Amino acid sequence: MQVRAAAIQMRSEPGDVSGNLDRALSHLSRCRDDGVELAVLPEMFNTGYCARGRYGPLAEDGSGPTIRALRHFSRRWGMAVAAGFVEHHAGHLYDSLAVLLPDGRLDVYRKRHLVFWECTRFRRGRDPLVVSTPWGRIGLAICADMIYRRVWRDYRGRIDLAIVSAAWPDFADRRSGRPHWLFGNLGPLSGEIPRLVSRDLGIPVVFANMCGETETTIPMMPRIVDRFAGRSSLCDGARGLPVRAGSEEAVVIASLSVPSSSPDRGASPCRSTSLSEPAGWSSTSAA
Amino acid sequence: MPFYVPLGARGLVLHVGGLITRGFGALVYWLGARRRPKPTLVPLVIPRDS
């Protein structure tokens, strides 16, 4: 089966939720004109990704302005949208990824592998999440999740397409271009891991990363004045060759071949909770 | 190593650093969550003649 997918690589202004949402909607509108059926936005695209951000007041549940707007346009344009946001649930904050389907269904994945300053600001998610869609089963990951073997071990043989939403930094000084002595080799992995996963699992991978300037804050280390790595990509497991963005704002669009699900793969152990009504907002990767 | 791609000796540093950061971060988060104001229950007044 073919699905026309888009990875939206955009910059986000920290704290400017309505401005970031407007910019994302204009990218989504472009995707709609191009016949896209599945569009992916970066991690925390609406709040911006910044160690100094105050996320409490910007966090949303299923009835927040970001999710409401995305749900509205997802229904209207008949397009599935995956978007990173800061979730507020039962007194806790999560670094989450919402998947909105054109039929109004909403599923939320919570980042399992928090890194650096995120550990002090968010609660970590516990479970992987598989979402059933008309194109097959989609597995979700957020940024640093994708560097951990167990994430892909959990999904192996149980998903037909993977989505990774990220705010992955370059870990290189943006003025001199010099890579950081410890983390410098992680930046280019943003372009490599989706390709490796796609080839390894034999499934398409949609990777949407943030772009623009940032300052990476690592505990007990000087701040790195760098930029987000960009390199958003669409990797087709069948064809192998990725379609990739550079480091600037871009929308990468391609048709991907989704392998049809075979019944002998067994039931997924991953929890998948549909949240069709905002009032029913509950945990999908409950801590 | 828990990583999907080999990271060599740096991977070990990242792994140990990650464990410390996660443990410390979870403690800081827990302390912050305790200090956060809890939603309070507001009494609902229903008139007797309603």
Side-chain angles (χ1 to χ4, degrees), chain A residues 87-265:
Chain A
E87 182 198 0
H88 183 268
H89 176 72
H92 289 288
L93 298 182
Y94 297 90
D95 181 350
S96 297
L97 177 60
V99 179
L100 300 115
L101 297 178
D103 62 7
R105 213 172 82 206
L106 165 66
D107 292 86
V108 176
Y109 168 79
R110 293 172 182 158
K111 188 172 182 176
R112 294 164 72 193
H113 299 89
L114 299 172
V115 290
F116 309 145
W117 59 269
E118 295 166 5
C119 304
T120 63
R121 312 293 290 281
F122 304 114
R123 196 178 202 197
R124 75 181 178 93
R126 303 277 176 188
D127 300 311
L129 178 68
V130 176
V131 178
S132 295
T133 71
W135 318 289
R137 301 157 302 176
I138 297 181
L140 306 167
I142 300 177
C143 202
D145 278 335
M146 75 172 176
I147 207 170
Y148 289 91
R149 199 188 303 138
R150 75 167 183 162
V151 169
W152 303 115
R153 192 185 56 212
D154 289 345
Y155 285 139
R156 185 182 292 276
R158 299 187 175 100
I159 57 172
D160 308 303
L161 188 147
I163 285 176
V164 184
S165 172
W168 189 290
D170 211 15
F171 297 103
D173 189 294
R174 66 170 175 251
R175 293 158 300 198
S176 67
R178 214 171 78 191
H180 187 264
W181 65 274
L182 180 58
F183 296 95
N185 59 342
L186 294 184
L189 288 180
S190 64
E192 277 306 294
I193 296 178
R195 186 181 65 83
L196 293 172
V197 168
S198 176
R199 205 175 52 186
D200 185 19
L201 271 63
I203 55 166
V205 177
V206 182
F207 171 66
N209 198 12
M210 207 171 261
C211 63
E213 296 181 349
T214 185
E215 287 184 0
T216 300
T217 307
I218 301 165
M220 294 176 291
M221 281 198 183
R223 191 170 287 148
I224 308 171
V225 182
D226 60 350
R227 57 180 74 239
F228 292 107
R231 301 188 186 95
S232 296
S233 61
L234 298 174
C235 304
D236 196 323
R239 288 187 226 136
L241 285 176
V243 188
R244 194 176 288 159
S247 58
E248 294 308 316
E249 208 157 80
V251 179
V252 189
I253 300 176
S255 292
L256 302 171
S257 319
V258 182
S260 52
S261 313
S262 55
D264 60 348
R265 282 177 175 176

Side-chain angles (χ1 to χ4, degrees), chain B:
Chain B
M1 281 303 152
F3 302 115
Y4 185 71
V5 285
L7 296 174
R10 283 174 180 176
L12 183 64
V13 179
L14 294 177
H15 180 46
V16 174
L19 289 175
I20 295 168
T21 308
R22 269 197 290 279
F24 178 71
L27 179 67
V28 171
Y29 179 84
W30 180 73
L31 290 171
R34 273 172 53 118
R35 278 174 36 208
R36 224 172 284 148
K38 298 268 182 302
T40 49
L41 292 175
V42 179
L44 179 66
V45 180
I46 302 169
R48 189 175 288 205
D49 54 350
S50 68

